Amino acid sequence: MLADKILEMLKDEITSIEYQRYIKDLKFDEKSSKSNYIVFLAKNPLIANWVKTKYSKKIAKLYELKTGIKPEVEMRVKNATKTSKPKIEKGIKKPKSSTKLNPSYTFENFVVGSSNQFAYTASLSVAEKPGKLYNPLFIYGGVGLGKTHLLQAIGNYNLQREKSVIYITIEQFMNDFTYHLRNQTMDRFREKYRKCDLLLIDDVQFLSRKEQTQEEFFHTFNELHNNSKQIVLTSDKHPKKIAGLEERLKSRFEWGLIADIQPPELETKIAIIKKKCELDGIYLDNETINYLATNLDDNIREIEGIIIKLNAYASLMNQKITLEFAKSVLKEQKKEQEKNITIDDIIKVVSNELNIKPSEIKSRSRSRKIVNARRIVIYLARNLTPNSMPSLAQYFGMKDHTSVSHAMKRINEILQKDENFKVQIEEFINKIKHSM
Ligand code: ADP
Ligand code: MG
């Protein structure tokens, strides 16, 4: 069957995980298709919607390649029962608002443990009763701990109930704002963002120091809030700690409920690894799972990454994933990461965490705060990059390597006696590795 062949061809253009998750189970709907109109059936509306936005162009292109005909590609839901609304049976209607939600980010696919229980429960309650319980809901926590997943789960949940959902990162919001401002179409911008049922905004920490966007966002927020429309925000920090954020926004972010996500405990990590394997049809024995859970950092994106990598390597080399194999892949990966860290990566993380400008760290400023930040960067650069002391001295415009050696000594002294400082340094290292 031609249509099936096309899906086979698509396999070479996307990752095997994408294929497994979204494409493998599509069925060609022969009855509804014509030569220039091909219809596929998906398991549920989320997958149908996702495949339509992400892969239909590729599918159309492959079809054209094979037949010379440029088709329209349509996704419908398999076995849409009589009870479901006719709109769904007719295919996926265009969402009312711009939505790019990953259909895998659902509440069912989220593993709950004590580290994320609170954020999970808050998100689920808000998804069930948008605009009624906590408005806004503000979720914060470290990199790769599931903030975007929960945010989109709220979106997916409500998309299924045909609510109009906007999911957007604050950076996209900012770009959209600038675009409409330039084109003098701000009325369209406002119409779009003030008419949705749920506004889900990811990574609001990047609002920092963007005064004009903050001003606009403030009015969007008020308008939605006044009309009991749900707002959900995520950030890597508590609103109070977002530097360069207007007080009136900070206070509004605290109006509703603030939920944090902590790094997962071992048990949760194990459960997450098992869940990911189950979703992607990967088999790992318990020993390997335990090894991964204990040896990988807390960033779940990274944990997912390594599982995918293991699976890919194993199938490439026609080998089973054993503990030994997992160990060697992990070791390679660590080496790889460390090789690639640069002083600039370190400066970026440290300056962001300490709320100073990267240029200040590289400057000659003698202010205490900056001297301290510079020492931390030097210490980390010595440990995480191949730079020698003289090359670091040169980078920072220091007289010679004795200044670098002095900075190292000073940090080592503090590390010896200050437990909090030690934790902070470890956190920096984590963030630097994950910022890559
Ligand atoms: P963040 O936005 O906090 O940086 P993400 O939401 O992007 O993190 O999560 C990173 C990856 O880890 C995603 O693929 C997500 O599905 C997965 N993940 C995070 N937490 C969980 C969890 N509790 N259960 C299942 N998957 C999770
Ligand atoms: Mg995120």
Side-chain angles (χ1 to χ4, degrees), residues 11 37 76 82 133 150 177 204 211 260 310 327 334 337 356 359 366-367 395 421:
K11 207 175 186 174
Y37 179 74
R76 295 184 188 167
K82 288 201 183 96
L133 288 171
L150 282 179
F177 170 61
V204 293
E211 287 80 14
D260 68 327
L310 276 176
K327 279 184 182 168
K334 286 219 159 120
Q337 268 176 354
I356 48 186
S359 57
R366 300 301 308 161
S367 103
Y395 186 96
F421 184 70

Side-chain angles (χ1 to χ4, degrees), residues 144 147-149 167 202-203 234 301:
K147 301 182 296 293
T148 299
H149 187 133
Y167 164 84
D202 217 349
D203 292 323
T234 74
R301 189 173 305 127

Side-chain angles (χ1 to χ4, degrees), residues 145 263-264 269 292-303 330 334 337 429-431 433-434:
L145 299 185
K269 273 206 241 177
L292 291 177
T294 20
N295 285 279
L296 285 169
D297 292 327
D298 296 332
N299 182 333
I300 296 158
R301 189 173 305 127
E302 196 170 87
I303 297 179
L330 217 64
K334 286 219 159 120
Q337 268 176 354
I429 296 177
N430 254 330
K431 291 218 158 118
K433 288 185 178 166
H434 298 150

Side-chain angles (χ1 to χ4, degrees), residues 83 130 172 209 226 300 347 399:
T83 48
Q172 289 164 333
R209 301 191 184 92
N226 287 340
I300 296 158
I347 291 183
K399 220 168 47 224

Side-chain angles (χ1 to χ4, degrees), residues 173-189:
F173 181 86
M174 214 144 26
N175 293 340
D176 210 21
F177 170 61
T178 318
Y179 172 85
H180 284 284
L181 201 62
R182 271 205 200 118
N183 287 291
Q184 300 184 324
T185 47
M186 277 307 290
D187 44 338
R188 270 177 42 208
F189 178 86

